[in-house]
Amino acid sequence: MFLITPIVNFFQNLLVFSWDFVLTIANILLPKLKVGHVVPAGHPGAGGKWPEYVPPKEGDSRCSCPALNALANHGILPHDGKNIKFNEFGPIIRKSYNFASTFCFFVPNTAANMLKKSYSKDTFDLAELDLHNGIEHDASLTREDSALVPDQGKPHLPFVRELLASATGKDKDGNALLTIKDLSAYSAKRRVDARKTNPNFSLSRSHKTFGSSNSSTLLTILGGRVADLETFLVEERLPEGWESRVRTRNGLTFGAFNVTVFKVEHGINEKAYEEKLAKEGGDAKTAEV
């Protein structure tokens, strides 16, 4: 019994990532989806027309992921965030955000395994995803650590505002953009600050990768556009007319996504931020990146 699950997971993951490679190559060869046609016809959000946004009410379940909370706030996932089927979860993410099918199987399946539930039979509430040091981790860019604020369902707005204010990029029309360098710098700041303020701080190598993966969606799916990110991160709402900036036919694959993740994580330099603090004689909670 104990040998079967690791073996099954190994071959399952081998199949997923082999298929992901095929999808990545196909995306290079196939024409991109036209602007305005990323969300498929008939799915909520097609043509940029998202269902009504309704903020969560008391008793609704939310988690530390703004993308999932936004889908619940628009009623694409159950508005109360409860009793979501693992095997129906992935297709909703696929159609709403244009993640690849491999991504949309692997993540819910990983969550099911983390919660010791069946991917094919069981359900979950969004808040369950915040099992500490499962997928949720310390030094989030939009949440205080769970040791300080156990309820991870709401963004910590000072962090969000500081992150958006750190944007240094511009698009061709002069609109503000977050860049890879910006995300790396702010991630370094959050890791140093969290270590100083959270006596139970922990961040393993795998959770560092999770952190950089989470932040990389801001550059890929959301294109780093600060105007969109403000609505998305502050209100956890999808802007009217918005669609995923990923227009590849098979969606955002691990093969493509991990290029951005690697660049973000590789650029994180906690030592440089600590040296800057020491030089300025500042406080990790107030020093600018």
Side-chain angles (χ1 to χ4, degrees), residues 134-250:
I135 295 174
E136 184 274 338
H137 54 83
D138 287 337
S140 163
L141 303 192
T142 66
R143 264 73 175 166
E144 292 189 272
D145 290 354
S146 61
L148 307 177
V149 180
D151 181 1
Q152 294 287 292
K154 295 180 180 179
H156 184 62
L157 296 185
F159 290 168
V160 174
R161 300 292 187 195
E162 188 175 35
L163 169 64
L164 298 180
S166 73
T168 62
K170 298 285 185 183
D171 65 14
K172 62 181 180 181
D173 298 316
N175 298 307
L177 295 177
L178 274 176
T179 67
I180 287 173
K181 184 178 179 180
D182 299 332
L183 280 180
S184 295
Y186 194 67
S187 295
K189 181 182 189 301
R190 282 291 302 122
R191 291 179 186 183
V192 171
D193 289 0
R195 190 176 288 109
K196 289 177 179 289
T197 58
N198 177 6
N200 299 318
F201 179 84
S202 65
L203 196 66
S204 66
R205 183 179 297 274
S206 64
H207 287 109
K208 287 181 178 181
T209 302
F210 271 133
S212 292
S213 297
N214 293 337
S215 62
S216 292
T217 62
L218 306 182
L219 299 179
T220 51
I221 299 297
L222 284 121
R225 302 184 186 196
V226 170
D228 290 343
L229 287 171
E230 183 166 11
T231 300
F232 183 75
L233 296 177
V234 173
E235 300 178 59
E236 300 191 326
R237 174 170 67 86
L238 297 170
E240 186 65 26
W242 180 85
E243 67 179 6
S244 173
R245 305 303 174 187
V246 174
R247 294 193 293 112
T248 48
R249 291 274 167 174
N250 294 305

Side-chain angles (χ1 to χ4, degrees), residues 60-64 69 81 124-131 151:
D60 287 345
S61 185
R62 294 294 185 268
C63 65
S64 55
N69 291 346
F124 67 97
D125 298 348
L126 288 177
E128 290 184 82
L129 298 179
D130 286 336
L131 177 68
D151 181 1

Side-chain angles (χ1 to χ4, degrees), residues 85-163:
K85 292 184 177 181
F86 286 103
N87 60 3
E88 294 180 358
F89 178 49
I92 292 173
I93 301 300
R94 167 90 175 95
K95 294 174 183 176
S96 300
Y97 292 123
N98 201 26
F99 280 103
S101 57
T102 45
F103 212 109
C104 295
F105 167 76
F106 182 84
V107 173
N109 188 59
T110 299
N113 290 335
M114 174 186 77
L115 297 174
K116 297 180 169 45
K117 293 189 176 186
S118 168
Y119 171 82
S120 61
K121 298 177 181 178
D122 289 337
T123 65
F124 67 97
D125 298 348
L126 288 177
E128 290 184 82
L129 298 179
D130 286 336
L131 177 68
H132 184 55
N133 281 340
I135 295 174
E136 184 274 338
H137 54 83
D138 287 337
S140 163
L141 303 192
T142 66
R143 264 73 175 166
E144 292 189 272
D145 290 354
S146 61
L148 307 177
V149 180
D151 181 1
Q152 294 287 292
K154 295 180 180 179
H156 184 62
L157 296 185
F159 290 168
V160 174
R161 300 292 187 195
E162 188 175 35
L163 169 64

